[in-house]
Amino acid sequence: MRRAALGLIALAMVALAAASLLAGPVWLSPATVLAALADPQPSLARLLIVEVRLPRLVLSLMVGGILGLAGAVLQGLLRNPLAEPGLLGASSGASLGAVIAIYYGFAASAGLATPAFALIGALAAVGIAFALSRTGGTLSLILAGVAVSTLASAGVSLALNLAPNPFAAYEIVTWLMGSLADRSWDHVTLAAPFIVIGAVLLSLTARGLDALTLGERQAESLGVDVGRLRLLALIGTAAGVGAATAVTGAVGFVGLIAPHLARPLVGHRPGAALAPAALIGAALVLAADVATKIAGPALDLKLGVLIAVVGAPFFLWLVLRVRSTAP
């Protein structure tokens, strides 16, 4: 069952990846794409695929994968089905960092200033949340994350309110809606190391998450260092999700949806759900990005907005389901 489901997800990702290379303001035929990839000679089609569409495809997979993986780890760590990376302030911190870069003009002076500031903001936000909750338990960590996230969101609102001109406000709002348009290999190079490090750290939590389903004391009696487990999850989330948000803007709900779709495939084991959640997250972001391309430049549909339109009803359904099953 698990292998068959994972195989179907992998096939869907291959189909979506092919659609991502074909779709765009200029549609390409499969023969043109294959010829451009096989022929190293410079051509307009090769330039379009290699320099424009391939980095966007790679970023879709990396961003979706790390969001799904981080969501699965946090839901297992916090034992809360409503947990997602934004709960710890990583997304809000990244947004505040990017807004600071745009507001103070760093984005205009250096092309990668916005994602770099966003990454620093995510790391700082999660670091503060961890420092505030270091001596507390899971509830303390959730409250600290919510507090940091609220403060960062307030900072973003303040920057919008005091924007020096309408163009700065428009740039900030556009970034906050999330998008993969106009991303290059420079963005891939910036985000990839942090996403890989984050993915490795998050993957190391698999065994501990399975033991944690029995409770913290029982997990510690089985040899699991709960403090180390929490540290791995937080650093992995900060690095991976921070880097993903830095290059795409705010993209929510993927970390919430993907683990819920993955767990039934693996018998609801938190540790076994990590890899399927990463695959499903990658497929979700890739599918949404293809949909924004198909919508076309006239509609200018943003990636974060489209995922939110799908994710918000899912979140509402999840809340109602949790309420109906609560004792």
Side-chain angles (χ1 to χ4, degrees), residues 217-276:
R217 291 185 178 179
Q218 287 77 6
E220 288 176 343
S221 69
L222 294 173
V224 175
D225 187 339
V226 177
R228 176 179 174 274
L229 180 69
R230 185 181 300 170
L231 191 61
L232 286 174
L234 292 180
I235 296 176
T237 300
V241 176
T245 308
V247 293
T248 63
V251 176
F253 293 106
V254 175
L256 175 71
I257 297 173
H260 286 278
L261 299 178
R263 274 195 289 273
L265 304 177
V266 294
H268 296 273
R269 279 181 52 211
L274 300 189

Side-chain angles (χ1 to χ4, degrees), residues 160 163 165-177 300 302:
L160 277 171
N165 55 65
F167 300 104
Y170 175 77
E171 191 174 357
I172 291 172
V173 171
T174 302
W175 190 89
L176 290 175
M177 286 192 287
D300 195 20
K302 300 299 183 186

Side-chain angles (χ1 to χ4, degrees), residues 3-326:
R3 289 184 178 179
L6 292 178
L8 288 175
I9 296 170
L11 285 176
M13 289 179 62
V14 171
L16 289 168
S20 179
L21 294 179
L22 301 178
V26 178
W27 281 76
L28 299 176
S29 67
T32 302
V33 172
L34 291 175
L37 290 175
D39 187 0
Q41 296 299 320
S43 67
L44 183 59
R46 181 174 176 80
L47 182 67
L48 179 62
I49 293 170
V50 174
E51 299 298 332
V52 178
R53 296 188 181 179
L54 266 181
R56 185 167 176 166
L57 168 61
V58 172
L59 280 176
S60 297
L61 297 174
M62 289 197 308
V63 169
I66 195 66
L67 289 176
L69 177 60
V73 170
L74 293 179
Q75 288 182 13
L77 177 72
L78 302 176
R79 285 165 286 170
N80 187 331
L82 304 182
E84 55 120 9
L87 186 66
L88 299 182
S91 301
S92 298
S95 298
L96 179 60
V99 167
I100 290 173
I102 297 171
Y103 187 88
Y104 287 103
F106 296 109
S109 58
L112 293 177
T114 302
F117 270 71
L119 181 58
I120 295 171
L123 293 172
V126 177
I128 293 171
F130 177 72
L132 291 174
S133 63
R134 190 171 51 183
T135 57
T138 299
L139 179 60
S140 176
L141 179 60
I142 294 175
L143 292 176
V146 170
V148 172
S149 180
T150 303
L151 283 174
S153 298
V156 172
S157 300
L158 182 64
L160 277 171
N161 185 222
L162 302 178
N165 55 65
F167 300 104
Y170 175 77
E171 191 174 357
I172 291 172
V173 171
T174 302
W175 190 89
L176 290 175
M177 286 192 287
S179 174
L180 282 166
D182 302 325
R183 299 307 189 262
S184 66
W185 288 113
D186 288 338
H187 293 89
V188 176
T189 304
L190 174 70
F194 293 96
I195 290 180
V196 170
I197 292 172
V200 170
L201 295 178
L202 292 172
S203 300
L204 293 176
T205 63
R207 176 179 168 272
L209 293 178
D210 285 340
L212 202 58
T213 57
L214 303 173
E216 291 192 8
R217 291 185 178 179
Q218 287 77 6
E220 288 176 343
S221 69
L222 294 173
V224 175
D225 187 339
V226 177
R228 176 179 174 274
L229 180 69
R230 185 181 300 170
L231 191 61
L232 286 174
L234 292 180
I235 296 176
T237 300
V241 176
T245 308
V247 293
T248 63
V251 176
F253 293 106
V254 175
L256 175 71
I257 297 173
H260 286 278
L261 299 178
R263 274 195 289 273
L265 304 177
V266 294
H268 296 273
R269 279 181 52 211
L274 300 189
L279 285 176
I280 293 173
L284 288 175
V285 172
L286 187 54
D289 188 48
V290 171
T292 62
K293 288 184 176 182
I294 294 174
L299 192 58
D300 195 20
L301 186 60
K302 300 299 183 186
L303 176 69
V305 175
L306 178 60
I307 293 179
V309 168
V310 177
F314 182 87
F315 184 72
L316 179 60
W317 170 81
L318 195 58
V319 170
L320 295 175
R321 182 186 173 202
V322 170
R323 191 182 68 173
S324 65
T325 57

